Amino acid sequence: MKLLSTLWPDFRLAVGQLAHRPLRTFLTLLGMIFGVGAVISMLAVSEGGLKQSMQMIQRLGVENIIVEGKDFSVDELLEVRKHSPGLSVDDARAVKETLVFVEKWAGIKDLRVWTLFSHEGDSRNSEVWAVSSDFFDLSSLETEIGDVFTDEDNQEFATKAVLGDTAARRLFPNGDAIGKQVKVNFTWFEVIGILQDQKMPGEEIQGEKVGGYSDRVYIPLNTGLNRLKVEEMSSELSSARFKINGESLVSAQAAIYENVKRRHGNQDDFRMVVPNEILAQQRQTNRIFTIVMTSVAIISLLVGGIGIMNIMLASVLERKSEIGLLRAVGATRADVVRQFLIETTVIAFIGALFGIVAGVALAILIAFFAKWPVAWNYFGISVAVVVCMAIAVAFGVYPAVSAAKLDPVAALQSE
C-alpha cells in the first residue's frame, strides 16, 4: 500500500502529461497497438488452425495406420492389374490375422454416385462410403440420433445407412430422418443413425484428405460392394484402416507394408499413411508459421519502442524547466527517472490494452472473411503484453536517464 501511495501521484502526473498532447500520444501508441494486435491475431489463427488440424487428424486415428490404393492412368492400371487386383478385404483380413499387434481393421470403399436423394430433398455433392462396422470406432465418430450398423448388418447385406450431419440436413431439411429412406443410385436405404456434427470441412493436410465426415452417407461395406456398381478394374477397397496396439507405429507400418506388398505381387500400387506423422508435421508447420509471424510482430513492437524513445527524448527537451524545478525543490535523479519510466509504462500499458482489442477484432475479421478457424492462446496474449511492456520500458530508460542527468541550474535557465 505504501508503494502504491508513493507511485500514485507519479501515475496521475504521467496520465496528465500524456493527455496534454493527445495526438502525439496516439501516434506513439500506434506502434504498440499494431505490434500486440499482430501477435495476438497471428497466434489466434495459428492456434485455431492447429486445433482444427488435430481434430481432423484424430478422426483418422492417431493410433491407426492407413493403407490406400494409388491412382493410375488407364495404361498404368492395365499393367498393374496383370499382377495385383488392388487393395481388398482379403488383404485387410490377412493383415489382422497375421500381425498380432493389429487390434481391429476397417475397410472403406468410396463409391461412384450419380443419384442421391430422399422424398424430401437431395444431396448431389455428398459422398457415399461403404464401410465396415468398425470404421466408426476407428474414426471416433458417434451418433447424435440412432445408431450405426453392426457387423451382422454387413454380413447380411443390409440396406441401412448412417448420415453425416450435413448430408442429413440436405436430404431431410424438415428433420426427423430416422426410419426414412434415401436412394443411392438404384437402391433404397433405411436411415438408422445421424452422426454428431463434426464442424470440420473436407481439407487436405500434408497431401492427405481429412475431414468432410459430415457430408457423407455411410452404408455397409458388403452391401456397397455387392449391390452398387463398382468401376471396372478399381480395387475392392479404396483404403483400409488398422488400429495398432502394443507396437511402435514405425515398425508396424513396415510390417503391414511388407505383408500387403507380398500379397500384391510386389506391385507398388498402394501407399501408407500414418496420421500420427501427419500430426507431427502439422505441428512443426504451425510452429514455423507462428515463429515467423511473431518475429514480424516483434519487429513492429521494436519500431514502436523506437517511437516511444523519440517522443520521450522530445518530451525531455520540452520539459527542461520542469525537470530543473523538480530538482530545485528536492527531487533526486531517481525520482526523475521513475517519473519518466512511469510515463513510458503507462504508454505501453495503454498500447497493450488497445492492442489486445485490435488483435481480437482482427482475428474475428480473419475468421469471418477468410473462413479460417481461430482459437485464443491466453499464454501467448500474456507474453505479447509482457514483451510490449518490456520493450517500451527498455526504450524509455535512455530518455529517463538523460532527463535525470540534466543540470538543475541549466535546466531552469532553459526557459
Side-chain angles (χ1 to χ4, degrees), residues 148-170:
V148 298
F149 42 79
T150 64
D151 188 56
E152 190 174 274
D153 294 326
N154 189 42
Q155 297 300 325
E156 294 177 355
F157 305 96
T159 52
K160 296 180 179 180
V162 176
L163 309 183
D165 178 75
T166 302
R169 282 188 274 108
R170 289 176 176 173

Side-chain angles (χ1 to χ4, degrees), residues 116-123 169-173 182:
L116 176 59
F117 66 91
S118 72
H119 291 301
E120 300 176 22
D122 65 76
S123 187
R169 282 188 274 108
R170 289 176 176 173
L171 289 164
F172 300 96
V182 294

Side-chain angles (χ1 to χ4, degrees), residues 226-366:
N226 289 275
R227 297 202 178 192
L228 299 180
K229 185 178 180 181
V230 178
E231 294 181 15
E232 188 177 358
M233 289 195 301
S234 68
S235 57
E236 189 176 33
L237 295 180
S238 302
S239 64
R241 298 185 181 184
F242 301 94
K243 184 175 181 179
I244 308 303
N245 186 20
E247 185 76 12
S248 75
L249 292 176
V250 176
S251 57
Q253 178 185 5
I256 294 174
Y257 177 83
E258 290 299 326
N259 189 296
V260 176
K261 189 170 185 178
R262 187 169 57 252
R263 291 179 55 83
H264 286 210
N266 291 322
Q267 292 296 304
D268 191 22
D269 61 345
F270 64 95
R271 69 188 186 102
M272 308 289 292
V273 178
V274 182
N276 198 41
E277 291 181 358
I278 298 176
L279 181 58
Q281 293 171 2
Q282 186 65 18
R283 281 175 172 163
Q284 179 65 15
T285 301
N286 273 63
R287 191 177 298 115
I288 294 172
F289 172 80
T290 301
I291 290 172
V292 171
M293 298 310 298
T294 302
S295 299
V296 173
I298 288 176
I299 292 173
S300 177
L301 285 175
L302 290 173
V303 173
I306 294 171
I308 286 179
M309 185 170 68
N310 289 335
I311 293 300
M312 296 307 294
L313 285 172
S315 180
V316 170
L317 294 176
E318 291 177 356
R319 295 161 60 186
K320 275 187 175 182
S321 59
E322 176 191 329
I323 296 168
L325 182 60
L326 287 172
R327 294 297 307 281
V329 297
T332 64
R333 287 186 174 183
D335 293 330
V336 175
V337 170
R338 185 178 70 247
Q339 177 60 48
F340 276 85
L341 285 181
I342 288 176
E343 288 185 24
T344 304
T345 304
V346 170
I347 291 176
F349 182 72
I350 295 173
L353 288 181
F354 279 101
I356 292 173
V357 175
V360 171
L362 180 58
I364 292 173
L365 288 174
I366 291 173

Side-chain angles (χ1 to χ4, degrees), residues 107-125:
I108 301 166
K109 180 63 178 178
D110 186 358
L111 296 168
R112 181 184 176 188
V113 176
W114 56 87
T115 301
L116 176 59
F117 66 91
S118 72
H119 291 301
E120 300 176 22
D122 65 76
S123 187
R124 299 174 185 175
N125 296 325

Side-chain angles (χ1 to χ4, degrees), residues 38-105:
V39 171
I40 291 173
S41 58
M42 290 304 100
L43 285 176
V45 171
S46 177
E47 188 75 12
L50 180 59
K51 282 190 174 181
Q52 186 182 68
S53 299
M54 290 179 66
Q55 288 177 346
M56 290 190 290
I57 293 170
Q58 283 171 353
R59 296 301 175 191
L60 295 177
V62 292
E63 296 179 345
N64 293 349
I65 290 178
I66 302 173
V67 181
E68 293 184 338
K70 287 184 178 179
D71 294 326
F72 295 98
S73 66
V74 175
D75 291 339
E76 290 173 332
L77 188 60
L78 284 171
E79 183 62 30
V80 168
R81 287 293 175 261
K82 293 178 182 178
H83 309 279
S84 169
L87 191 63
S88 67
V89 172
D90 287 340
D91 290 334
R93 287 175 177 161
V95 168
K96 172 66 172 67
E97 293 170 0
T98 305
L99 304 176
V100 294
F101 51 79
V102 176
E103 184 176 328
K104 59 177 66 175
W105 68 276

Side-chain angles (χ1 to χ4, degrees), residues 186-234:
F186 299 112
T187 306
W188 288 95
F189 291 82
E190 179 189 357
V191 178
I192 63 169
I194 308 295
L195 295 179
Q196 292 179 357
D197 186 7
Q198 304 301 316
K199 296 183 174 65
M200 292 185 296
E203 294 182 355
E204 281 195 1
I205 299 177
Q206 306 293 337
E208 180 64 25
K209 185 177 180 182
V210 294
Y213 291 96
S214 292
D215 200 13
R216 292 193 186 117
V217 175
Y218 302 92
I219 62 175
L221 179 62
N222 286 349
T223 307
L225 295 177
N226 289 275
R227 297 202 178 192
L228 299 180
K229 185 178 180 181
V230 178
E231 294 181 15
E232 188 177 358
M233 289 195 301
S234 68

